[in-house]
Every structure is written in structure tokens, then in C-alpha cells.
Amino acid sequence: MGKIFKFFVPPKQWRLPVTILLGVFFGLATYTVYVSKAWVYLSDDPAACVNCHIMAPQYATWQHSAHREQATCNDCHVPHDSALRKYYFKAMDGLRHATMFTLRMEPQVIKIHEAGAGVVQENCQRCHDHLTETNKNLQVSYQEAEHGKGKLCWDCHREVPHGRVNSLSSTPNARVPLPSSVVPEWLRKIKK
Amino acid sequence: MSNISKSVNNKPWLGWLLFGLSLVAVFCLGLLASSITERRVEAQMVNKPMTALGKTEAKNELWGKNYPREYQSWEATKEMDFSSKYNGNVMRDMLEEDPNLPILWAGYGFSKDYNAPRGHMYAIEDIQNTLRTGAPTGPDDGPMPATCWSCKSPDVPRMMEEHGVAEFYKGKWAGKGAEIVNPIGCADCHDSETMNLQISRPALKEAFERQGKDIEKASHQEMRSLVCAQCHVEYYFDKSEGKQNYLTFPWDKGTTVEDMEAYYDAIDFKDWTHKISKAPMLKAQHPGYETWKMGIHGQRGVSCADCHMPYKTEGGQKFTDHHIQSPLNNVANSCQVCHREEEKTLISNVYERQDAIKETRDKVERELSIAHLEAGFAWEKGATEKQMKKALTLIRHAGWRWDFAVASHGAAFHAPIEIGRILGSALEKSYQARMEIKKVLIELGYTGEVPLPDYSTKEKAQKVAGLDMDKLNKDKETFKQNLLPEWIKEAKAKGKLL
């Protein structure tokens, strides 16, 4: 550790400017964490998912469904069989979402991609296994269903829980906990 | 391994390279940060109204320009096309359907006129037309105080903002006839800038404060019931020292029927003195919020809006249906979001509960009206106040419980177990009151059956209650022809009404 540190130590006459520049770099990094509210992604609070306002239709439709009483976003959309897989999936999925959002690549109608659909199918069965135990055709994985070995839950239960329409403009004026202004209250007060 | 310092000393371009690389890194990080900031600002813009609204804009039409879907569904509260077994949205003369009512409310406005409730769009029209508000001829005339407007219109928060809360409650109902003109609508529940749900009526905020709770901390889901609780609650007009008909919720000791009864007893409050029995009566207004809380839906956190304003789909868009109505007229979007049973089954489940409650309710009404009439007979026979005290207290408590159970319309479904319990105790107290009166009559030397008048129809019952209906109706007509058009003319001239 000490060796690596020594390796990076700049020449004596450079130390002051380098220290300042490092401060600038880490300050900017801290601001990025602050403005993106990165820490909330560690929680299971559905409000974290509307950090990106384009998720408002998904939040609003969930909030008006019976699932809101029992299941958060993470209950359905991240794997629950092992902690390792859970956080690996969450990280990969989150990075993908963040990239799409930052590069403004989001489509008008957001649809679940394959890996996500597999996880949702797993999670339907995780909670509702008592409903599928009498019929083997219902206990299929996403891959099996894709190969015609049965049906996915939402092939029939198409409204559960978000309903059929989920374009970016499908829930105008929905009251969802979007992040408030970046500028903190005290700073706004100073301005006044 | 030599360190970077030595390498840079040997090859100065290496230092510049490092500088350039960090510059690019910081530049990109800056871009990322500003992109995130930009998208967060977008979130702020999502719900900005297209045309700005004043802080207390009461004219619903102006809000409708920004929110056409919500506005149009709200307009549907004008519909009069649905009757369930006991409620619905049509005009029904409740006194005619149940002639016990004029006896039970003798001496109080409700014995004059009481209709089944219609949609919010009728709030102004119905309060202007009811005989209960009398026939004022000028701003300082009539039986009702200004406080009666409190729940009828988004003009109320506007007036409170302009004149102050206590000032608003002062004076007669007729004094604000030209100001309160728009029916219950947008500004009653929404903040005009953010569109968030807000509490516009101070009485609810004050009741929370006195209970040591901060209503500002309520979650969005709680607010979806609390905005309704601004009006659909039990309340009274505080006339104690220094107060003029100040709208107050009697929740300081709690919100159960016993808690509020204890509150009223402690301050010796009465809404009116019964015309026949002379009992100091309490009128339960419409404790819908309190009874909802005591039922299973309330206990599970299902809000008022979940069932009465469910999501609606129109042309690929979902929005909250502002056609506030009986969920029985929209089972698919309300009940069936959670319950998988068929519509038929669900409706019969509701009726089953309502029927059971009605059975006991009918018994209470029968016994309690007889208790009033028997008490009236005892007074005629020369009973003293001391002799009657016990009976009258029992009548007061029985009347309060009965009214609490029925006045909110939905209670039989919202909390059938609690309402069954309350009506049980109302029946018990009615019988006890009758026994007490019998004792008084025996003391007075009367042992026969008490002769009861005929009150089998609305007209007969109102006569027993001592009402001159012809005069009341005639005066009301005069009011509707003279003062009422003036109010509307004035409101339009001042731009209060479109």
C-alpha cells in the first residue's frame, strides 16, 4: 500500500497544485453522487426508482395496483435467490439504466429486456408458488417459455401490475415522489 | 520500482500527459454531473401547469384548461344516473322514505328537509336550495351562520386567505352568498403551484395539532384520505368565549363514538334542544373519515381515493378518475383491483352488510322516536327537569350514537362491525330511556300506554315536529326568486363566477 502511494507521489514543486486539483476532482465526484442521489439505490424504497422521472408511469401504475400492499420494485425486479446474484444484477441493471438515461437513449415505450423478464418470472413464482403447483406448464422459466414450453405469467395476467400501456406519457400528472430541486432549501433562502 | 516523481523528472512530457488525462477525466465527470442536474430539472418541469393559476384560484374552469382529463371526469359528478340499494347519486327525499327522521330531528333543520347526497358539482346548488338554510332576505338574515359554507367551495380557502379564518366564520350564511359560488373542486385538495395534495381547511390541521400530530408529515397515501377528511368528518361550531361559530373537530380525546361523546359531555355542548323531548341533542354530521378508519379497508391503508377515485384509462393514458362516486358504480376499477370475485358477488357482499346494519338501525329509529314522544308526553303530564334528567341524557347519547352510525352514508359498509356495535348500544340506551320515562310517569300517577300520534308519512311526522311546511316552502321560493339571483349576478359581475 505504502509503495503504491509512494509511486504516485509527484515531484516536490508539484505537490501543492496536485493536491488542489485532486480536491477539485473528488469534490466534483462528490457532487455527482449528491446530484444523482446515488445512495438511495442501496435501499428497497420504490421512490429510488423515480429518481429518473421517466420511471413515473411505472411507479404510478404500481402505486395504484394491489401489488403495492405487498411488493416493492425490488421484490419483482431483482433476483432473490442469493445476495451475490441480487447485487450483481442490481448493479448491472442500474448501470445500464443510468447509461441509457444519461445518453438520452430511452425509448418512448420502455419495455423490459430479457434478463429482467427472467427475473420477474422467477419472482412471480417465488411468491405465488401455491398457485402454480397444480400445473407444470405454469412453472416454467423465461427461457423455457420462450421455447414454447409453457406460458409466462403476464402472457395472461397482462394488466398485472402496471397495466398494458406504459409509454412515457401514459400517466400525465401522476403524483409520484420525483426528486425535488437540486438546490437545497437553505441556499434558496439566501437568494431571497 | 522507481516512483512517478522520478519518471516525470526524466521525461517531462509524461507529466503533461498525466495532466491532460486528468483534465479529460474531470471534464467528462463535469459533463456527467451537469447532465444529471439537467435531468433533475426536467423532473421539476413535469407537472408545471401550462397556464399559471393564482394561489387560491377558485374557478374550477381555469384549472380545467391545464388538466382537461381530470376536469372532465370531475364534471361527471353532475351525473344523476345511479342508484345502489341504499345510496347513489340521485335526489331522494330521505324524510319521505323514513318518516321517523322528522321526529328524531324535531326542532333541528334536518327535520325540514333532508335529501340523499348528490355529486360534488351540486354542493352550491343544494345548499342554496335546502330548506335548512332558510329564506334570508338580506346579508344578516337567516337561521344559519357563515360557517355552513366551509365545505362547499374552493372559494372558502380564497376567502380565508383574504379575510382570515376566524373572520370567515363570523356572520350569517347569507352574508357570503355572493362570494361562495364555485362548487367543491380543484383548489379544495390541490396546491395550485405544485398540484400536490394539500389541506386547505384549517379545522383539520388544528385538530391534528391539538392531538399532537403534524399533518405536514402525512404520506401521499395518507393525504389521499386526509383531503377528504377536511369535510367528511364529525365537527361542531365552537361558540365558546371569544369564538364565533369556529369550525372545530371534537377529536381531542380520540375519534371513536365514545371519545367524541365524552368530549361533548365535558364541554356541555349541544347542537339543539329537541322540540318534543327537550333533550340536549348532538347531531353527528358525517363522520365518514372516522368510521372508515375503524373498518378493514381503513386499517389496511386503502385510501378514500383508491375506491372512490380509481385509475381510469382513456386513449392509452391513465389518470385519477375525478368522478368521485360510489365504487358500486365502478366495481371493475375499484374493488376488483384487489378482489378477484365477480362484480355480482362483490355487490351482494356490500348489500349483505348494509342490510344487516339497517335491521338494527330501523329498530333504533323506532324505539328512539317513541322515546322522544313519550318524553314529550311526560312533560305534558307535569314532569320536572330533575325527574327527566336521566331519561334525557340517555336520549342524548342514544341519538348521538344512532346519528353517528347513519349520517356518513357509507358507514354500514366501511365499518360494519363497529357500526353494529354502536347501533347495539343506541338500542340499549333507547330502551333504557323509555324505562326511565315509564318510571317518571308512574311517579306522576300515569300507568297506561302512552298515546302516540300518527307519524306514518313525512307530512304527518313534520306536523308532529311542529313545522309549518307551507310557510317554509313559500319563504324559500321568495328567496330563490329575489336574493339568490342577486348573488349570482354580483358574483359574475365581480368575476368570481364564470
Side-chain angles (χ1 to χ4, degrees):
Chain A
M1 197 66 196
K3 263 188 183 171
I4 297 169
F5 182 73
K6 266 186 190 155
F7 175 79
F8 282 107
V9 171
K12 236 182 188 154
Q13 66 275 29
W14 280 32
R15 278 184 199 166
L16 182 66
V18 165
T19 310
I20 293 170
L21 286 175
L22 277 177
V24 171
F25 179 77
F26 283 109
L28 195 57
T30 311
Y31 172 72
T32 311
V33 170
Y34 164 73
V35 76
S36 65
K37 293 171 82 177
W39 62 92
V40 299
Y41 296 111
L42 296 171
S43 78
D44 283 328
D45 184 357
C49 300
V50 281
N51 246 3
C52 306
H53 61 85
I54 56 169
M55 276 290 146
Q58 280 69 23
Y59 184 96
T61 45
W62 162 79
Q63 209 253 333
H64 282 82
S65 77
H67 271 81
R68 72 146 195 244
E69 296 295 320
Q70 300 296 338
T72 63
C73 306
N74 281 343
D75 282 325
C76 302
H77 291 284
V78 300
H80 287 272
D81 50 354
S82 79
L84 192 72
R85 196 171 152 231
K86 177 178 171 175
Y87 285 102
Y88 177 71
F89 183 90
K90 210 176 168 183
M92 292 312 284
D93 218 36
L95 282 174
R96 184 172 162 275
H97 281 205
T99 312
M100 302 279 278
F101 189 62
T102 307
L103 302 178
R104 294 185 180 265
M105 279 164 66
E106 72 270 9
Q108 275 299 305
V109 177
I110 295 172
K111 284 191 180 137
I112 198 159
H113 69 146
E114 205 170 307
V119 168
V120 173
Q121 177 71 4
E122 272 174 35
N123 281 321
C124 294
Q125 293 172 348
R126 185 167 63 87
C127 296
H128 297 288
D129 56 346
H130 57 292
L131 294 171
T132 57
E133 62 193 3
T134 51
N135 189 339
K136 277 268 175 283
N137 285 332
L138 300 173
Q139 294 173 324
V140 297
S141 69
Y142 180 76
Q143 282 73 18
E144 284 168 335
E146 286 293 279
H147 289 94
K149 287 187 189 152
K151 289 282 173 202
L152 293 169
C153 299
W154 59 91
D155 283 336
C156 301
H157 301 276
R158 297 172 71 169
E159 303 277 341
V160 178
H162 296 296
R164 292 186 199 202
V165 280
N166 275 302
S167 81
L168 294 187
S169 56
S170 60
T171 56
N173 315 325
R175 306 278 92 206
V176 300
L178 296 176
S180 53
S181 169
V182 192
V183 184
E185 190 72 28
W186 58 266
L187 192 55
R188 259 180 291 171
K189 269 184 191 156
I190 290 173
K191 192 187 79 185
K192 272 179 192 169
Chain B
M1 191 166 78
S2 72
N3 75 8
I4 205 164
S5 164
K6 278 181 192 152
S7 313
V8 172
N9 267 338
N10 296 336
K11 309 171 192 159
W13 59 268
L14 193 62
W16 286 108
L17 180 70
L18 278 172
F19 179 75
L21 284 177
S22 352
L23 190 143
V24 171
V26 173
F27 185 80
C28 291
L29 189 58
L31 283 183
L32 177 65
S34 81
S35 150
I36 298 169
T37 312
E38 224 175 270
R39 299 228 74 170
R40 273 191 70 172
V41 174
E42 263 175 49
Q44 302 288 299
M45 309 307 282
V46 171
N47 283 320
K48 279 269 183 283
M50 303 288 276
T51 54
L53 295 160
K55 187 165 175 253
T56 51
E57 182 54 65
K59 292 185 281 290
N60 299 310
E61 293 85 348
L62 298 186
W63 295 63
K65 285 187 181 155
N66 289 306
Y67 302 97
R69 291 178 209 85
E70 285 79 3
Y71 179 75
Q72 279 162 20
S73 61
W74 166 81
E75 271 190 315
T77 59
K78 206 168 179 104
E79 279 169 15
M80 289 178 61
D81 56 0
F82 174 70
S83 287
S84 65
K85 194 167 184 181
Y86 296 110
N87 290 298
N89 58 17
V90 294
M91 260 304 213
R92 274 163 54 186
D93 188 336
M94 299 310 286
L95 301 182
E96 202 150 308
E97 284 180 24
D98 188 354
N100 283 309
L101 299 180
I103 305 293
L104 292 165
W105 290 320
Y108 196 62
F110 278 82
S111 61
K112 300 176 193 166
D113 184 16
Y114 177 47
N115 294 311
R118 299 197 285 176
H120 278 170
M121 273 283 265
Y122 291 103
I124 296 289
E125 195 179 320
D126 283 350
I127 196 178
Q128 286 167 343
N129 287 339
T130 179
L131 294 178
R132 296 200 295 277
T133 50
T137 52
D140 303 314
D141 189 30
M144 291 300 177
T147 317
C148 287
W149 285 117
S150 298
C151 275
K152 300 296 174 188
S153 165
D155 283 305
V156 175
R158 175 180 66 78
M159 290 284 282
M160 286 176 165
E161 181 77 18
E162 285 168 16
H163 303 284
V165 179
E167 198 58 34
F168 173 83
Y169 298 135
K170 283 179 189 164
K172 287 284 186 190
W173 175 75
K176 293 183 174 69
E179 290 285 350
I180 317 288
V181 280
N182 294 286
I184 301 167
C186 316
D188 286 307
C189 305
H190 289 284
D191 180 303
S192 64
E193 202 188 320
T194 62
M195 290 303 138
N196 284 333
L197 293 176
Q198 63 155 4
I199 303 300
S200 61
R201 301 302 197 274
L204 179 64
K205 248 181 230 170
E206 290 158 8
F208 263 62
E209 269 164 29
R210 289 198 305 278
Q211 286 181 308
K213 291 190 283 189
D214 183 2
I215 203 160
E216 303 294 334
K217 293 213 174 88
S219 69
H220 177 62
Q221 181 64 5
E222 287 167 324
M223 285 299 279
R224 295 173 76 223
S225 297
L226 286 172
V227 289
C228 310
Q230 300 183 93
C231 292
H232 294 262
V233 288
E234 166 62 10
Y235 60 81
Y236 74 106
F237 298 169
D238 190 351
K239 299 181 192 73
S240 64
E241 227 181 282
K243 299 217 170 134
Q244 278 188 42
N245 290 308
Y246 199 94
L247 184 66
T248 310
F249 298 174
W251 291 355
D252 296 15
K253 291 177 196 280
T255 54
T256 67
V257 74
E258 286 87 359
D259 292 339
M260 290 196 245
E261 184 184 271
Y263 176 94
Y264 283 134
D265 284 352
I267 59 168
D268 218 6
F269 178 84
K270 64 176 175 189
D271 279 295
W272 91 102
T273 303
H274 198 273
K275 186 140 190 189
I276 302 168
S277 67
K278 296 192 170 63
M281 300 299 290
L282 294 169
K283 173 81 184 80
Q285 313 299 343
H286 23 65
Y289 172 74
E290 296 94 324
T291 44
W292 158 81
K293 271 207 308 190
M294 293 185 282
I296 195 66
H297 287 89
Q299 287 164 352
R300 292 283 182 276
V302 181
S303 72
C304 303
D306 279 322
C307 306
H308 294 277
M309 306 175 74
Y311 247 18
K312 183 181 178 176
T313 308
E314 213 176 75
Q317 294 195 312
K318 289 187 167 200
F319 60 97
T320 299
D321 191 350
H322 281 59
H323 181 191
I324 300 159
Q325 61 168 342
S326 164
L328 297 185
N329 197 23
N330 188 12
V331 173
N333 287 347
S334 54
C335 318
Q336 285 176 336
V337 169
C338 297
H339 300 289
R340 323 156 140 226
E341 288 71 17
E342 280 186 42
E343 177 168 338
K344 221 172 46 190
T345 316
L346 290 165
I347 290 183
S348 74
N349 290 153
V350 175
Y351 290 166
E352 199 182 303
R353 282 155 181 77
Q354 291 178 329
D355 287 339
I357 296 295
K358 186 172 183 288
E359 202 179 305
T360 318
R361 186 201 81 174
D362 287 347
K363 288 177 191 161
V364 175
E365 290 183 1
R366 189 186 65 217
E367 295 308 317
L368 189 57
S369 15
I370 295 177
H372 280 298
L373 293 163
E374 286 178 337
F377 184 77
W379 287 116
E380 277 172 34
K381 288 282 159 203
T384 64
E385 265 176 42
K386 202 176 154 214
Q387 279 174 307
M388 293 295 283
K389 187 154 195 296
K390 223 168 159 185
L392 296 188
T393 306
L394 284 163
I395 289 180
R396 168 184 163 93
H397 290 165
W400 158 247
R401 280 144 204 262
W402 160 76
D403 222 336
F404 186 95
V406 301
S408 69
H409 307 287
F413 170 72
H414 287 152
I417 296 175
E418 175 67 7
I419 298 303
R421 183 188 74 82
I422 292 171
L423 284 173
S425 76
L427 190 57
E428 182 196 22
K429 284 177 190 293
S430 303
Y431 275 122
Q432 284 173 348
R434 288 192 62 190
M435 275 200 292
E436 286 302 324
I437 298 162
K438 282 267 151 62
K439 277 193 222 163
V440 175
L441 285 173
I442 290 167
E443 279 171 26
L444 295 169
Y446 187 90
T447 53
E449 279 291 318
V450 172
L452 294 176
D454 180 6
Y455 54 100
S456 55
T457 65
K458 175 190 173 187
E459 287 71 30
K460 288 174 183 168
Q462 283 179 325
K463 215 167 164 193
V464 175
L467 289 166
D468 182 354
M469 293 310 294
D470 288 339
K471 186 177 175 337
L472 288 172
N473 282 315
K474 223 180 90 203
D475 290 351
K476 193 81 203 184
E477 274 313 307
T478 317
F479 160 77
K480 283 202 257 182
Q481 275 163 22
N482 299 333
L483 193 58
L484 186 55
E486 272 175 42
W487 287 356
I488 294 166
K489 217 170 96 188
E490 192 187 328
K492 283 189 173 162
K494 282 186 181 165
K496 302 277 159 61
L497 183 64
L498 288 178

